[in-house]
Amino acid sequence: MLDPGPTGRFGEFGGRFVPEALVPACLELEAAFASAWADEAFQARRSGLLASYAGRPTPVTECRRLSDRLGVRVLLKREDLAHTGSHKINNVIGQALLAERMGKRRLIAETGAGQHGVATATAAALLGLDCTVFMGEVDVERQALNVFRMRLLGAEVRPVGSGSRTLKDAVNEALRDWVATVGTTHYCLGSVMGPHPYPYMVRQFQRVIGDEARAQCRALLGGSDPDVVVACVGGGSNAAGTFAGFVDTSARLVGVEAAGGAALGNGVPGVVHGMRSMFLQDEEGQILEAQSISAGLDYPGIGPEHAFLAASGRASYFSVGDAEVLDAFKLLAATEGILSALEPAHALAWVARAAQDGGIEAGSTVLVTLSGRGDKDVAQVMDLLG
Amino acid sequence: MSAPGAPVRPGGPGAAGAAAAGTLASVPRRPDAQGRLEARLRERREAGRKLVVPYLTGGLGDDWLEVLRAVAAAGADAIEVGIPFSDPMMDGPTIQEASRRALEAGATPLGILGALAAAEVEVPVAVMTYYNIVARAGERRMAGALASAGVAASILPDLPLEECGPWVAAADEAGVENVLLAAPTTSEERLAAICARSRGFVYAVGLLGVTGERRHLASSAREMAARCKAATDLPVLVGVGISDADQARTVCADADGVVVGSALVRRLLAGAGPEGAAAFVGELRAALDAG
Ligand SMILES: Cc1ncc(COP(=O)(O)O)c(C=O)c1O
């Protein structure tokens, strides 16, 4: 995938649309990331922590019973087995080390499902940094377990009561905090969104998913790549990290959005949260509230690189509804003994649908990134299934 | 483990050429001619007066146009009218709440501009909003709408210097002066470039943070005013955090004037109405005139 250059552009998308107060911090971060990324000592420290602390590489699991059921060969990239239970730790370890390198002793983060908040609180505990996590009040309620985990890890969780009281508003509040504290605080953004360099930097920190998976698939498939590579898309970090490993293969790349948060399906170009991308918005430019059972996909926008990949046709994007997602969640549990998070259950739901309606050819090999484990969602699913 | 990624297509498509979007080179030079807002502020400054620019949220209450007129009559040198946005990232709780209420009451950009066009206030009006409102309408269409509504200037706090090219090109063409903001984190080099491109006045952000009242004037407020004054002959107004007449007078030891938002909007939210708003702006006016 491309280097967006100093202007942070992926085609017409991306950029750095932030208040003047934050421009110098974004420039500083861009330079710090470039120097760290090229620094062997930094990379060694990062890969060391990813291996010895986060448990990488995560395996690729062949799903025999699920494959029989669906008529396509399903492989799962198991980010659910990474420390803290999702792919979010990959990005956070990179950014926390970067914050340390820049001399910033406080991390702030937004979180929806709570997985990025938990990962940030974890890295802060590990490196002895202060941590404040912004989380919409709706999400505080539906992801209560993760709120408690963050507090156990020593983070302050600040419920956000403005707007839709979900992920979008948590981002607003984190940005407001950062405007006031930028000298001492690093904003540890949780997805491939926001102003440059975040979309690029977060994708680079997440590309470990795709780079590992490509080698693992080749070992498993006698040197071939999967036919289809699928990931769920909230902001798009697990998908971008996955796609980065396959963009130069012939694999078809598919991102799956929540039907109620389908920024590529139903959105139009706009400029919010520091980036030009696709957003759900009305005729006047007011941002609409996303609606999804999955707190992590409940976001009315999408990372700019996905907007670009969609526009260029290299990746395609679909959306699935809450009911299909619950079916997929149950199917994976029953056939493979894996409780998925609701977010990647969207990716599985699309695979189940496409395997049936010809969207994926019978007998194809499909790699799905299982971006997180389902423990956090079990109570909610229990309510939903009655 | 991933290898450090080699750039595949540096700059990406569309970013080629000298005037790539998002660079300083993509920002057209400031026109030589003074706009109406700048001319008015200069004239008042030259008459020895400190400048008061109140902010109010468009569409907040049925009587917001009366508030506008009352504030003008109470001695405002220009008025900032906010077009409310769903996600105002530079605003604290007071203006967030005002934006929410205005949107709930059905405020729209075109509705506000239509009302301003009909209001015919003699004091220059600057519209303050977020870039998505402009981007959604389209730069040229929004610039035209502002101009036909008689709006003199625009202030877009999430549109920094490098990204403002498409908007200022359209605004310049329509005769709308785009005001740029400078912040305490802005380097001297950036400050010079901001002052060279700003029209109307230079908006010196008085503190690191979002809009909202503060008990004490931040020490950065006067510093910012002094830094901007040293960099430009344009009027320099300090805004964000200026909360009362005392603070306004103090900061005007260095600044040409102040923008006062949350302190006024809080009063409006509490039901002050046109008279209450005029009384508050009158206090600011009197404090600055007394020096
Ligand atoms: C398990 C899991 N997957 C996916 C996401 C969505 O984020 P992204 O699209 O950045 O991968 C989240 C976000 O909270 C998550 O917790």
Side-chain angles (χ1 to χ4, degrees), chain B residues 78-95:
Chain B
I79 301 176
E80 243 188 74
V81 172
I83 293 182
F85 177 52
S86 54
D87 295 84
M89 76 146 108
M90 258 305 279
D91 286 307
T94 305
I95 292 176

Side-chain angles (χ1 to χ4, degrees), chain A residues 337-383:
Chain A
I338 297 171
L339 287 178
S340 161
L342 286 174
E343 291 81 12
H346 285 68
L348 289 166
W350 179 79
V351 171
R353 187 213 288 167
Q356 218 156 50
D357 70 10
I360 304 175
E361 226 178 287
S364 303
T365 301
V366 182
L367 175 76
V368 179
T369 295
L370 196 72
S371 56
R373 68 177 182 228
D375 309 45
K376 70 182 174 63
D377 298 319
V378 167
Q380 192 192 350
V381 171
M382 190 164 75
D383 285 347

